[in-house]
Amino acid sequence: MVLSTDSQISDAGFPASRGLMAEAMRAHDWERTALGPPSGWPVALKVAVNIMLDSPESMFIAWGPGLTFLCNDAFQPLLRPRRKPPLGQPLRELWFDSWGQIEPIVDKALAGIGSRFEDLPITLTRPGGEERTWWTFSYSPVRDETGAVVAMMGVANETTTRVLGERRHAFVIGLQDRLRDLTERSAIAAASAEMLGVYLGAGRAGLGEVDPSGEFFTVAHDWTDGRMSTLTGRWRLNDFSTEVMTDCRAGRTVRIDDVIADKRINGAHTAYEAAGNVRACIAVPLLKNGRFLAAFYADQMEPRLWTDDDEAIVREVAERTWAAMERAHTDLALAESERRYRALFNAMDEGFCIIEFIDGPHGPLSDYVHIEANPAYAVHAGITNVVGQKVRAMVGAEAQGWIDLYASVLHTGRPIRFERELEATGRWLELAAFRVEPPERNQVAVLFQDLTARKRAETALRELNETLEARVSERSAERDRLWRLSEDMLARADYMGMMSAVSPAWTRSLGWTATELLSRPYATFMHSQDAAPTLAAIERMRETAEPTRFENRIATRDGSWKPIEWTVSPEPDGINFIAVGRDLSATKAREAEMRRLEEALRQSQKMEAVGQLTGGLAHDFNNLLTGISGSLELVQARVLQGRYADVDRYVLAAQSASKRAASLTHRLLAFSRRQTLDPRTININALIAGMEELIRRTIGPSIAMETVSGAGIWSIHVDPNQLENALLNLAINARDAMPEGGKLTIETANRWLDERAARERDLPAGQYVSMCVSDNGVGMTPEVVAKAFDPFFTTKPIGLGTGLGLSMIYGFARQSGGQARIYSELGKGTMVCIYMPRHLGDADSASIEPDAAQLARSQSGETVLIIDDEPLVRMLVVDTLEELGYAAIEAADGAAGLKVLESDTHIDLLVTDVGLPNGMNGRQVADAARQLRPGLKVLFITGFAENAVLNHGHLEHGMHVVTKPFEIADLSRKIRSIILDN
């Protein structure tokens, strides 16, 4: 730093700055110092002092051969208690206790060489107690107009927030790594407690779980530093202060800096002494559905000022630990459920298997492979070792009949029950087949039992029918035996609502005696919601004389309900019918358990995605906000210093960061399908042709580009700006995948997707237009393809990609009624296709707004009404309008704006924010305005999140939208184009 001595500074009122140090300098007796009275100070020193005192940075000056110390207010906290007042002392005496470290730095500065030291730890005394902080220091030589070094200047910047953030981030990553492979709740709690205690430098840390009674908490495992005793055991909550526990039960974090001084303890000091002489503690409660379940805590034997950072890290550990423990509990429950399923699976009397469809479309090539079978399969079917075997290979020529039956179940989703002879083994089987959901699994479950004995008995009965009367009694006995032994509930009933005979299986399954069953109308045993449909099905059977099937719920004698599947067949007399019922309780229970487990898995995956999304969002936004706030602070500092040369650079930096933040928000909302769209009917080939030159410049000369435009391409109705962004993003991704050069192909085509093709793409069947961007670059693995659309997932190095490009494309496609798909092979390249529904209409002839330079200023002073609750936004819009020659009227909310609209004042354009206070949003104001003034032009200003208010981006004629944050030039162009558009 070179200080000029040309200017003269009056001694009167020196220094001219305000502040504690300025007052101290004016009152100080300088004749006792090496500098002498200020009247004799060099002008360069006075200039340096004024600069230092006016600076918001922490600064000091060591002047002259004696290195006399002077500092500003911001540097005061770094001095800590000194033996003497610091002002005017020689630097060597002031920092006597660390002069050995400082002297080499001073010597370098006096020799004209600056120094810089980053992230040095310093303990400061601040309100509430001592606090550990981190600082970055720079030491620079100060020269006079001759170039001679006359002093040293030091500048300090506190980096505590960044250092703590980096430490916290590293700690959280380490915690995740350590907890990832732990499967026991106790091990998870112990590992977390140890890491937290070491990180905080606490004496003890652990997790206490609250009993169901809510009166006690139990610590199973904790960590100590060796000085404090363990807290393991069972403790009464209110012994540690009712007021403190009230906060915990309400979910509020408890921070006690000193047990003795804290008024909330209210005489509960004995409990804290018994818990290991606790003097300071912090506890983060964990609640679920409003109930206090547990708390993660850290204790010390000495008073401690707990910081917000301490609380944040304890909360982070608490939530991650509890989530890991819940995961472990869920995994254990899943394992136990699988064990029970396997036990039931292996113990079933009926044969059971799951078969999976393979080998292409239904027809001569289709087949099913056995992927699971229980031991009873071989007993009933007479075939062993079926897992892995295909149906055609197992049963030969009769396979097609079985395959057709299973295909109907797989295609319709309707279960079937039937009897069929397995010719390969000569056995008759009774089978029930149902689809294993979801349909994409292409699996069918089959439950069956051997009916050979029953069929032989039935054959014998038929033969008995044809024999002499002497065998009638034998035949009846056989029939009675089947009646008695059948596990199905058999009944003979009439259409009047009564049963005349029931098999013993009724009593075994439902508990009712035969007398009870025959003495009451059968409808009284049905669930109230099932009675009417059941009776209607029986009536239809009576009319058609055809057997029917249905399910309903039948009451048991103990008051519960059982699901029963019925097969009902009419008798020739037209009065009676036969009913066969099978108890589905076990089947329903298995289906319910499978649905519960699938839902639990979906919830776990959803929470993991949310954690990734919020973590990535916070990281990127913190970076951008740091750039904005830092640039603005430097602008303010340069203006105060009168240094205007660098102001433009900092303003441009802040604007750049703002645009990146807006782009990040836009991409996030595109992924979540909440962005505000401006769809138009366009021809995609024309859009690509308009972007071709831009794409060629973007990908560079080492990559060849080819466009293959489909003939007679259909129109689509999408936001053209979003589609252009999507195409440019895909081109950039393709370029990055071909670092050594290659070929980029953009291809469009009309697609008619049938049911199968549409289902594969998760779309309704119909007509679509596809845009595919392909490259012959490095390609992706299947694992990367599976995650490519996830927000914040990227394979690019840190700082070269946010991971939102493909997720934005996916969100835009889905919001536009279409789909996005990736096809890639490692080492061969990638193709990304966007499918957009066909729009029956001609493309808009003019889709680009006129350039601002082509729009004339207002010639007749048109009037614009601006409604916005933010004064700064109103000021910007009003200044823009007045600069264009328009008259502007302001209103702070919808009610005030409506008063203007209800008056006789002429209004040419309404500009309104979407989110307005006091009961009316911008869309409601616009609708009311058009009731009063039909055809009034409207420009909405939106921050994206009000997308639903704007009818998801679909606006009426004459309504337009601009999104925040916007550039003034864009707003000016938009306003002028709307007003000039007749």
Short mmCIF file of all heavy atoms in Angstrom, two decimals, residues 60-61 67-71 75 79-99 102:
data_model
loop_
_atom_site.label_atom_id
_atom_site.label_comp_id
_atom_site.label_asym_id
_atom_site.label_seq_id
_atom_site.Cartn_x
_atom_site.Cartn_y
_atom_site.Cartn_z
N PHE A 60 -5.30 -3.46 11.69
CA PHE A 60 -4.42 -2.74 12.61
C PHE A 60 -3.24 -2.19 11.80
O PHE A 60 -2.95 -2.64 10.70
CB PHE A 60 -3.94 -3.65 13.75
CG PHE A 60 -2.86 -4.62 13.34
CD1 PHE A 60 -1.51 -4.28 13.38
CD2 PHE A 60 -3.22 -5.89 12.89
CE1 PHE A 60 -0.55 -5.19 13.01
CE2 PHE A 60 -2.26 -6.79 12.51
CZ PHE A 60 -0.90 -6.45 12.57
N ILE A 61 -2.58 -1.18 12.38
CA ILE A 61 -1.38 -0.59 11.78
C ILE A 61 -0.27 -0.60 12.83
O ILE A 61 -0.50 -0.27 14.00
CB ILE A 61 -1.64 0.86 11.32
CG1 ILE A 61 -2.73 0.90 10.24
CG2 ILE A 61 -0.37 1.52 10.83
CD1 ILE A 61 -3.16 2.30 9.87
N LEU A 67 7.14 0.43 15.63
CA LEU A 67 5.94 -0.37 15.32
C LEU A 67 4.84 -0.06 16.31
O LEU A 67 4.30 -0.94 17.00
CB LEU A 67 6.27 -1.86 15.31
CG LEU A 67 7.22 -2.34 14.21
CD1 LEU A 67 7.54 -3.80 14.38
CD2 LEU A 67 6.61 -2.07 12.82
N THR A 68 4.49 1.24 16.40
CA THR A 68 3.42 1.66 17.33
C THR A 68 2.08 1.11 16.85
O THR A 68 1.73 1.24 15.68
CB THR A 68 3.37 3.19 17.41
OG1 THR A 68 4.67 3.66 17.80
CG2 THR A 68 2.34 3.63 18.44
N PHE A 69 1.32 0.50 17.78
CA PHE A 69 0.09 -0.23 17.43
C PHE A 69 -1.13 0.67 17.43
O PHE A 69 -1.37 1.42 18.38
CB PHE A 69 -0.12 -1.38 18.43
CG PHE A 69 -1.31 -2.21 18.12
CD1 PHE A 69 -1.25 -3.21 17.17
CD2 PHE A 69 -2.52 -2.00 18.79
CE1 PHE A 69 -2.35 -4.00 16.88
CE2 PHE A 69 -3.62 -2.77 18.50
CZ PHE A 69 -3.53 -3.77 17.55
N LEU A 70 -1.94 0.60 16.34
CA LEU A 70 -3.23 1.26 16.23
C LEU A 70 -4.19 0.26 15.58
O LEU A 70 -3.79 -0.50 14.69
CB LEU A 70 -3.15 2.51 15.35
CG LEU A 70 -2.14 3.58 15.80
CD1 LEU A 70 -1.40 4.12 14.61
CD2 LEU A 70 -2.86 4.69 16.53
N CYS A 71 -5.46 0.24 15.97
CA CYS A 71 -6.42 -0.70 15.37
C CYS A 71 -7.80 -0.07 15.33
O CYS A 71 -8.06 0.96 15.96
CB CYS A 71 -6.47 -2.02 16.15
SG CYS A 71 -7.21 -1.86 17.79
N PHE A 75 -11.18 -4.89 15.07
CA PHE A 75 -10.05 -5.72 15.47
C PHE A 75 -10.03 -5.98 16.98
O PHE A 75 -9.32 -6.85 17.45
CB PHE A 75 -8.74 -5.05 15.04
CG PHE A 75 -7.55 -5.98 15.08
CD1 PHE A 75 -7.30 -6.84 14.04
CD2 PHE A 75 -6.69 -5.99 16.18
CE1 PHE A 75 -6.21 -7.69 14.08
CE2 PHE A 75 -5.60 -6.83 16.23
CZ PHE A 75 -5.35 -7.69 15.17
N LEU A 79 -7.86 -8.87 20.36
CA LEU A 79 -6.78 -8.50 21.26
C LEU A 79 -6.77 -9.33 22.54
O LEU A 79 -5.72 -9.56 23.14
CB LEU A 79 -6.88 -7.01 21.60
CG LEU A 79 -6.64 -6.06 20.41
CD1 LEU A 79 -6.93 -4.65 20.82
CD2 LEU A 79 -5.21 -6.21 19.92
N ARG A 80 -7.98 -9.79 22.95
CA ARG A 80 -8.10 -10.51 24.22
C ARG A 80 -7.52 -9.64 25.35
O ARG A 80 -6.94 -8.58 25.10
CB ARG A 80 -7.40 -11.87 24.14
CG ARG A 80 -8.03 -12.82 23.15
CD ARG A 80 -7.25 -14.12 23.07
NE ARG A 80 -5.93 -13.91 22.47
CZ ARG A 80 -5.01 -14.85 22.37
NH1 ARG A 80 -5.24 -16.04 22.86
NH2 ARG A 80 -3.86 -14.61 21.80
N PRO A 81 -7.68 -10.02 26.57
CA PRO A 81 -7.12 -9.20 27.66
C PRO A 81 -5.59 -9.06 27.53
O PRO A 81 -4.88 -10.07 27.48
CB PRO A 81 -7.52 -9.96 28.91
CG PRO A 81 -8.70 -10.76 28.50
CD PRO A 81 -8.43 -11.16 27.08
N ARG A 82 -5.10 -7.86 27.43
CA ARG A 82 -3.65 -7.60 27.38
C ARG A 82 -3.21 -7.00 28.72
O ARG A 82 -4.03 -6.44 29.46
CB ARG A 82 -3.31 -6.60 26.26
CG ARG A 82 -3.66 -7.08 24.86
CD ARG A 82 -2.56 -8.01 24.31
NE ARG A 82 -2.95 -9.39 24.35
CZ ARG A 82 -2.14 -10.39 24.09
NH1 ARG A 82 -0.86 -10.18 23.81
NH2 ARG A 82 -2.56 -11.63 24.14
N ARG A 83 -1.95 -7.08 29.00
CA ARG A 83 -1.46 -6.51 30.27
C ARG A 83 -1.60 -5.00 30.29
O ARG A 83 -1.77 -4.40 31.34
CB ARG A 83 0.01 -6.89 30.44
CG ARG A 83 0.23 -8.37 30.73
CD ARG A 83 1.65 -8.66 31.11
NE ARG A 83 2.58 -8.19 30.08
CZ ARG A 83 3.89 -8.31 30.18
NH1 ARG A 83 4.44 -8.84 31.26
NH2 ARG A 83 4.69 -7.88 29.22
N LYS A 84 -1.50 -4.36 29.12
CA LYS A 84 -1.62 -2.90 29.03
C LYS A 84 -2.65 -2.57 27.96
O LYS A 84 -2.89 -3.36 27.05
CB LYS A 84 -0.28 -2.28 28.65
CG LYS A 84 0.84 -2.53 29.64
CD LYS A 84 2.13 -1.89 29.14
CE LYS A 84 3.29 -2.13 30.12
NZ LYS A 84 4.55 -1.52 29.62
N PRO A 85 -3.23 -1.35 28.02
CA PRO A 85 -4.13 -0.94 26.92
C PRO A 85 -3.36 -0.98 25.60
O PRO A 85 -2.22 -0.53 25.53
CB PRO A 85 -4.53 0.49 27.30
CG PRO A 85 -4.34 0.55 28.78
CD PRO A 85 -3.17 -0.33 29.09
N PRO A 86 -3.93 -1.53 24.55
CA PRO A 86 -3.17 -1.74 23.30
C PRO A 86 -2.84 -0.47 22.55
O PRO A 86 -1.83 -0.43 21.84
CB PRO A 86 -4.11 -2.64 22.48
CG PRO A 86 -5.48 -2.32 23.01
CD PRO A 86 -5.31 -2.02 24.46
N LEU A 87 -3.63 0.57 22.66
CA LEU A 87 -3.48 1.76 21.82
C LEU A 87 -2.13 2.44 22.10
O LEU A 87 -1.81 2.79 23.24
CB LEU A 87 -4.63 2.73 22.09
CG LEU A 87 -4.87 3.80 21.03
CD1 LEU A 87 -5.20 3.16 19.70
CD2 LEU A 87 -5.99 4.72 21.48
N GLY A 88 -1.30 2.62 21.05
CA GLY A 88 -0.03 3.32 21.16
C GLY A 88 1.11 2.47 21.66
O GLY A 88 2.23 2.95 21.75
N GLN A 89 0.88 1.21 22.01
CA GLN A 89 1.97 0.35 22.49
C GLN A 89 2.85 -0.10 21.32
O GLN A 89 2.36 -0.28 20.19
CB GLN A 89 1.41 -0.90 23.16
CG GLN A 89 0.95 -0.70 24.59
CD GLN A 89 0.82 -2.05 25.28
OE1 GLN A 89 1.82 -2.73 25.49
NE2 GLN A 89 -0.41 -2.40 25.60
N PRO A 90 4.10 -0.35 21.56
CA PRO A 90 4.93 -1.01 20.54
C PRO A 90 4.39 -2.43 20.31
O PRO A 90 3.99 -3.10 21.25
CB PRO A 90 6.33 -1.03 21.15
CG PRO A 90 6.30 0.08 22.16
CD PRO A 90 4.91 0.12 22.70
N LEU A 91 4.41 -2.85 19.07
CA LEU A 91 3.85 -4.16 18.74
C LEU A 91 4.56 -5.27 19.50
O LEU A 91 3.92 -6.24 19.93
CB LEU A 91 3.97 -4.39 17.22
CG LEU A 91 3.21 -5.60 16.67
CD1 LEU A 91 1.72 -5.42 16.85
CD2 LEU A 91 3.56 -5.81 15.19
N ARG A 92 5.87 -5.14 19.70
CA ARG A 92 6.62 -6.18 20.41
C ARG A 92 6.11 -6.34 21.83
O ARG A 92 6.01 -7.46 22.35
CB ARG A 92 8.11 -5.82 20.41
CG ARG A 92 9.00 -6.82 21.17
CD ARG A 92 10.42 -6.30 21.31
NE ARG A 92 11.07 -6.14 20.03
CZ ARG A 92 11.77 -7.11 19.44
NH1 ARG A 92 11.90 -8.29 20.02
NH2 ARG A 92 12.33 -6.90 18.28
N GLU A 93 5.80 -5.22 22.51
CA GLU A 93 5.32 -5.31 23.89
C GLU A 93 3.88 -5.81 23.96
O GLU A 93 3.51 -6.54 24.87
CB GLU A 93 5.44 -3.95 24.57
CG GLU A 93 6.86 -3.45 24.72
CD GLU A 93 6.90 -2.09 25.39
OE1 GLU A 93 5.84 -1.65 25.90
OE2 GLU A 93 7.98 -1.45 25.40
N LEU A 94 3.07 -5.41 23.00
CA LEU A 94 1.67 -5.82 23.01
C LEU A 94 1.53 -7.33 22.83
O LEU A 94 0.76 -7.99 23.51
CB LEU A 94 0.91 -5.09 21.89
CG LEU A 94 -0.59 -5.40 21.79
CD1 LEU A 94 -1.32 -4.93 23.05
CD2 LEU A 94 -1.19 -4.74 20.56
N TRP A 95 2.31 -7.89 21.90
CA TRP A 95 2.25 -9.33 21.63
C TRP A 95 3.51 -10.02 22.18
O TRP A 95 4.10 -10.86 21.51
CB TRP A 95 2.12 -9.58 20.12
CG TRP A 95 0.87 -9.01 19.53
CD1 TRP A 95 0.74 -7.90 18.80
CD2 TRP A 95 -0.45 -9.56 19.65
NE1 TRP A 95 -0.57 -7.69 18.45
CE2 TRP A 95 -1.33 -8.71 18.96
CE3 TRP A 95 -0.97 -10.69 20.29
CZ2 TRP A 95 -2.68 -8.95 18.88
CZ3 TRP A 95 -2.33 -10.94 20.20
CH2 TRP A 95 -3.18 -10.07 19.52
N PHE A 96 3.84 -9.66 23.41
CA PHE A 96 5.06 -10.22 24.03
C PHE A 96 4.99 -11.74 24.12
O PHE A 96 6.01 -12.43 24.03
CB PHE A 96 5.24 -9.62 25.44
CG PHE A 96 4.18 -10.06 26.41
CD1 PHE A 96 4.37 -11.17 27.23
CD2 PHE A 96 2.96 -9.39 26.47
CE1 PHE A 96 3.38 -11.57 28.11
CE2 PHE A 96 1.97 -9.79 27.35
CZ PHE A 96 2.17 -10.89 28.18
N ASP A 97 3.75 -12.28 24.32
CA ASP A 97 3.64 -13.71 24.57
C ASP A 97 3.74 -14.53 23.29
O ASP A 97 3.84 -15.77 23.36
CB ASP A 97 2.30 -14.03 25.26
CG ASP A 97 1.12 -13.37 24.57
OD1 ASP A 97 1.34 -12.59 23.62
OD2 ASP A 97 -0.03 -13.65 24.98
N SER A 98 3.67 -13.91 22.12
CA SER A 98 3.79 -14.68 20.87
C SER A 98 4.72 -13.97 19.89
O SER A 98 4.60 -14.17 18.69
CB SER A 98 2.40 -14.86 20.25
OG SER A 98 1.75 -13.61 20.08
N TRP A 99 5.64 -13.14 20.44
CA TRP A 99 6.52 -12.38 19.55
C TRP A 99 7.43 -13.28 18.72
O TRP A 99 7.77 -12.97 17.59
CB TRP A 99 7.34 -11.38 20.35
CG TRP A 99 8.19 -10.50 19.46
CD1 TRP A 99 9.53 -10.49 19.34
CD2 TRP A 99 7.68 -9.52 18.56
NE1 TRP A 99 9.93 -9.55 18.43
CE2 TRP A 99 8.79 -8.93 17.93
CE3 TRP A 99 6.41 -9.06 18.25
CZ2 TRP A 99 8.65 -7.93 16.99
CZ3 TRP A 99 6.29 -8.06 17.32
CH2 TRP A 99 7.39 -7.51 16.69
N ILE A 102 5.49 -13.90 15.66
CA ILE A 102 5.11 -12.71 14.89
C ILE A 102 6.32 -12.03 14.25
O ILE A 102 6.23 -11.48 13.15
CB ILE A 102 4.36 -11.72 15.80
CG1 ILE A 102 3.05 -12.35 16.28
CG2 ILE A 102 4.09 -10.42 15.10
CD1 ILE A 102 2.30 -11.50 17.28
#
